[in-house]
Amino acid sequence: MLFAQLLDRTGTGVWAASSVLYFTFVLGLDAGRIGLLLGAAAVAGIAGSPLAGHLAGRFPVRSLLIGCHLLRLGTLGALLVVTRFDVLLPLVAVTCLGDRAAKALEMLFATRVAGERRGTYQALARSSANAGYAVGAGIAAAGLAVGTPEAYRALILANALSFLAAAALVRRTREPRAEGWVAAGAGDAGGSAAGGGATGRTRAPSPWRDRGYLRFVLLDIPMNLDDSVLAVGLPLWLVARTDAPHVLVPAFLVINTVLVVVLQLRVSARFERPRQAAAALSVYGLTMLACCVLLALSAGTGAVAASVVLLAAAGLVTGAELLRSVSSWELAVSLAPEEARASYLGVAGMAQSVQKSAGPLLLTGVVMTAGPAGWLALGAGIAVLSAVQRRSAVRRLDSLPVPLPLRPGRPDRPSSRRSGVR
């Protein structure tokens, strides 16, 4: 599964580095239409995670993940022959929906496979994903250097083929038995036989009616802003408000990739338990505050000083990303009831998708427009919200029922009375 994720992210890295230029130079789209394409894709991506979670409670995750890979194979293949904008729009939107759904399904699959070791698995997955993005960017750079329409189409084809290879690898991966994973609204098939009389059909809880979990998801949106700060805020701030050389922009990605690959396992090992993950939220807020302070200080300084400060900010935002990747995933799993975990994790995945849509607009339209004061306000806001998120998460953890003891003589399987699973 990890190698399949590596191939998936390699193709995604190729697409991320070449898609805008493909739309511009090969298809001849103007900036307005490209913006509309990307906006529609971002909106469609928001629906990908909850849709995946909903389906994962009813169908095997492996089959759904293969379907997502093949869906993107088909849409990207169609992009090679489609030139009409009204057809491109739904194709790009469906591609992004499949991308977000695939990420949610990979998360669900990993949670089932890894169990209590999900933090370590998540660290390995993120390391392989970052390596894939780096490889994909390198492949895209080679194709972009050629610059011909045929080279651009070859990059799109390479991305599509990466999904085919990933689907083949997933097909060879065994899916674990999904005990305790019942979709919201599914009936308890064994309910009427449990007590010698008809007890009726029970319904697993729905994340859409769980205010506490929805509060967690809502607060998790600003906890993902490190992504936009690294990808949008740092480069644009460097270009628009500092004297630092533009060649530093690729260095931000290099720093991020290297630190994630080197440190993700260590950070995950330190914050792998639910309460440790909750504690990581406060550290995340303070780290983002320090990053934003450095960005505010970089304006108006000399080229050398600005370069040093911005590189330090890139290191801090990467540290925040390491903390967030652990805390968000672990808490999303731990705060969800076992009997409806698939649908709950699907809703939790919306936080990243919403941030990817709204985060760049927040940074470019509000934070950077306000100048250094905007960065200070953003950092302070994230620090405060991270403290609120931590308090809310700890309160919910305290309210969760204590797991039932294992059945005597059956050390490999917990009692299933709570979830109704037989």
Side-chain angles (χ1 to χ4, degrees):
M1 178 59 74
L2 288 175
F3 190 47
Q5 287 182 255
L6 175 67
L7 290 175
D8 184 340
R9 300 307 189 273
T10 299
T12 302
V14 172
W15 172 256
S18 60
S19 57
V20 172
L21 296 179
Y22 175 78
F23 293 142
T24 302
F25 296 114
V26 178
L27 299 184
L29 300 182
D30 57 29
R33 290 195 170 189
I34 292 176
L36 184 57
L37 276 179
L38 298 180
V43 172
I46 295 174
S49 293
L51 178 61
H54 177 77
L55 295 175
R58 291 159 171 79
F59 304 100
V61 172
R62 185 180 67 169
S63 300
L64 292 172
L65 186 54
I66 292 173
C68 285
H69 290 322
L70 296 181
L71 174 66
R72 291 180 289 171
L73 169 66
T75 56
L76 286 173
L79 283 178
L80 294 173
V81 296
V82 169
T83 57
R84 288 177 50 185
F85 181 77
D86 59 341
V87 181
L88 283 172
L89 193 63
L91 280 177
V92 174
V94 171
T95 300
C96 189
L97 184 145
D99 182 70
R100 298 306 306 171
K103 286 180 171 59
L105 291 168
E106 288 168 350
M107 178 178 174
L108 292 169
F109 192 94
T111 304
R112 293 183 182 181
V113 171
E116 295 301 318
R117 300 288 298 178
R118 54 182 172 263
T120 301
Y121 189 97
Q122 169 74 341
L124 292 171
R126 284 186 52 76
S127 297
S128 65
N130 276 269
Y133 285 132
V135 172
I139 294 173
L144 297 178
V146 177
T148 63
E150 290 74 18
Y152 282 105
R153 292 190 178 94
L155 292 176
I156 303 299
L157 180 60
N159 184 18
L161 292 178
S162 74
F163 298 135
L164 179 61
L169 288 173
V170 172
R171 188 175 181 274
R172 297 176 59 185
T173 304
R174 184 181 64 86
E175 181 172 358
R177 186 175 179 179
E179 293 194 32
W181 292 69
V182 182
D188 179 2
S192 62
T199 60
R201 295 171 66 87
T202 61
R203 294 177 67 87
S206 167
W208 300 107
R209 294 191 293 268
D210 190 332
R211 293 182 180 180
Y213 199 82
L214 290 177
R215 184 185 307 114
F216 162 76
V217 176
L218 181 63
L219 289 171
D220 201 41
I221 295 173
M223 298 301 103
N224 281 271
L225 276 170
D226 58 272
D227 178 72
S228 291
V229 170
L230 176 68
V232 178
L234 272 169
L236 292 183
W237 186 254
L238 180 151
V239 172
R241 303 298 289 267
T242 76
D243 295 325
H246 295 183
V247 294
L248 277 184
V249 172
F252 299 150
L253 180 60
V254 172
I255 290 173
N256 177 264
T257 301
V258 171
L259 289 181
V260 168
V261 171
V262 172
L263 299 178
Q264 185 69 75
L265 273 171
R266 298 181 184 179
V267 175
S268 297
R270 186 168 183 177
F271 298 101
E272 64 180 354
R273 299 300 179 188
R275 296 186 184 278
Q276 293 174 330
L281 288 168
S282 295
V283 185
Y284 174 88
L286 294 176
T287 304
M288 285 297 293
L289 175 60
C291 172
C292 291
V293 168
L294 288 182
L295 286 169
L297 293 176
S298 66
T301 60
V304 175
S307 299
V308 172
V309 171
L310 289 173
L311 290 173
L316 284 173
V317 77
T318 300
E321 177 189 342
L322 293 170
L323 292 165
R324 181 259 302 166
S325 66
V326 175
S327 62
S328 290
W329 197 44
E330 177 60 35
L331 290 175
V333 175
S334 301
L335 300 181
E338 291 185 16
E339 63 269 27
R341 193 167 276 171
S343 57
Y344 270 70
L345 291 182
V347 172
M350 291 178 63
Q352 290 188 22
S353 300
V354 172
Q355 188 284 139
K356 286 183 178 294
S357 301
L361 297 176
L362 172 67
L363 292 182
T364 57
V366 180
V367 174
M368 297 177 63
T369 302
W375 285 113
L376 295 177
L378 178 67
I382 292 176
V384 171
L385 291 175
S386 67
V388 174
Q389 178 77 307
R390 178 189 179 183
R391 189 178 305 112
S392 176
V394 170
R395 188 182 302 118
R396 185 174 174 97
L397 287 171
D398 290 338
S399 69
L400 292 177
V402 178
L404 295 176
L406 298 179
R407 292 178 179 176
R410 296 286 298 278
D412 58 324
R413 293 185 61 187
S415 171
S416 57
R417 281 167 41 206
R418 185 175 66 177
S419 64
V421 176
R422 296 292 184 267

